[in-house]
Amino acid sequence: MRSRGHRTSSGCTDAAGTSPPDEPEFAGWSDLFAERLGMRGVVVVDVDRVSDSCGYAVPLMSYEGDRDLLDSWAANRGPDGIVRYRAEKNATSIDGLPALP
């Protein structure tokens, strides 16, 4: 697993790592999810602390299902198109770190 070190998100610190398909840990983590053509990694986060605000005015939400956009996008591009797209558009993360392959 590739360690990204400690990250702070909304005031909380966590230790995060990524497991792309070419690493041994990927199979164990990806087995927890439905197989998807566009899947390129699993992000594993160890959370040290979770905080929230009061939430008194936050609207109630309900889960309505998974989105199918990744599946249709990946099917339209095909395996070679996905590789080309990632090489062109996803070489680094938004914070400049090397992205998943």
Side-chain angles (χ1 to χ4, degrees), residues 2 19-27 40-41 100-101:
R2 297 179 189 173
S19 186
D22 62 343
E23 294 188 10
E25 295 92 349
F26 180 78
R40 65 177 177 160
L100 298 172

Side-chain angles (χ1 to χ4, degrees), residues 18-68:
T18 58
S19 186
D22 62 343
E23 294 188 10
E25 295 92 349
F26 180 78
W29 288 111
S30 65
D31 286 347
L32 299 172
F33 305 95
E35 186 173 334
R36 303 190 106 136
L37 178 60
M39 182 185 274
R40 65 177 177 160
V42 176
V43 176
V44 180
V45 179
D46 295 325
V47 178
D48 296 324
R49 179 176 177 233
V50 176
S51 300
D52 61 15
S53 63
C54 67
Y56 289 156
V58 176
L60 297 173
M61 305 279 184
S62 64
Y63 176 75
E64 295 185 28
D66 292 331
R67 295 178 186 266
D68 65 354

